[in-house]
Amino acid sequence: MSTQHRPPSLGDLPGTLIFDFSWLLVMAIGLMPIAEASLSRSPSVSMPTTIAFFVAVGSAVLLRRRYSWMGLVLHIFGQIAIWRSLFVMSLAIVLIAIPLE
């Protein structure tokens, strides 16, 4: 049996909030090296990676009834790609801006 996927309606406020908050959270996690450098700590990679992965997958689990499987896979992939690019850029900024001791 074939079912046609309909995009979420504009009145789907909980889905929109989950979607937007997860993207905002992933982008904030990507900027963690700058926050860690301002706290005089060395930037870590493992904790932000774990958090970003679970935020991406967790938000996809919450959105699974609103989007198709392909949409969920693209959501996860997009969030991880955006997190990785922000993280690498902010880490490069920290490494260039902070002099070696």
Side-chain angles (χ1 to χ4, degrees):
M1 234 178 168
S2 172
T3 59
Q4 186 171 354
H5 174 72
R6 290 183 301 180
S9 65
L10 294 175
D12 182 26
L13 186 61
T16 303
L17 290 176
I18 292 169
F19 186 84
D20 293 344
F21 181 72
S22 68
W23 277 94
L24 180 69
L25 190 58
V26 163
M27 287 189 275
I29 294 167
L31 298 174
M32 277 182 72
I34 295 173
E36 288 177 338
S38 68
L39 296 173
S40 299
R41 296 180 6 199
S42 62
S44 69
V45 175
S46 60
M47 186 56 73
T49 303
T50 305
I51 294 170
F53 176 77
F54 282 111
V55 166
V57 173
S59 63
V61 167
L62 292 174
L63 295 170
R64 72 181 180 273
R65 295 185 186 219
R66 293 176 177 89
Y67 297 98
S68 67
W69 281 106
M70 182 56 76
L72 293 176
V73 169
L74 290 174
H75 172 74
I76 293 170
F77 179 76
Q79 282 195 327
I80 291 173
I82 291 294
W83 168 80
R84 186 179 65 194
S85 63
L86 284 173
F87 187 81
V88 168
M89 290 298 291
S90 62
L91 186 60
I93 289 169
V94 167
L95 293 175
I96 290 171
I98 295 178
L100 296 175
E101 296 177 3

